[in-house]
Amino acid sequence: MPIITIIAGILLDIIGTTAWLMTDRQSITALIPSILGTILLLLGIFSLAKPHLRKHFMHVAAIIGLLGVLGSAKGLFSLPALLSGAEVVRPIAVIAQSATAVVCLVFLGLCIKSFIDARRRRLAA
């Protein structure tokens, strides 16, 4: 799970940095995915460096993933309008929020699956 956390962090960093550059570095809020991504990246690295704390780091990472989903899901509601060609107030924000929501949702799903698998392994032992 630490490697998946690092990959999710890198993807979020790319989303945030790209959105920030596409807004001509005017919108500091475009970097929110990068903030989430950097936190996930660090949690993944720390969990590799400190295996005895991995469980705690991964639980914090799952919470960050949940916050990412909750904070960016509204972009998904505007995405169909944007894709159909309708005018949207901040199209770059809609794309960045949607991408952030998808990455965080997939990451959160993988976290939940990992936690369930770990519990099953523990009970089987």
Side-chain angles (χ1 to χ4, degrees), residues 5-80:
T5 304
I6 291 170
I7 291 169
I10 291 169
L11 289 173
L12 290 170
D13 281 338
I14 291 169
I15 292 167
T17 303
T18 302
W20 183 63
L21 292 173
M22 290 180 72
T23 62
D24 294 325
R25 300 180 202 142
Q26 297 296 315
S27 176
I28 195 74
T29 58
L31 288 172
I32 291 173
S34 291
I35 294 168
L36 295 173
T38 301
I39 293 169
L40 288 179
L41 180 65
L42 291 173
L43 288 167
I45 291 169
F46 292 159
S47 70
L48 289 175
K50 305 274 187 183
H52 62 285
L53 296 174
R54 180 170 296 158
K55 177 178 163 182
H56 302 295
F57 287 132
M58 291 300 99
H59 280 90
V60 173
I63 291 169
I64 297 299
L66 176 62
L67 292 174
V69 170
L70 295 175
S72 61
K74 71 176 184 173
L76 291 172
F77 297 113
S78 300
L79 188 61

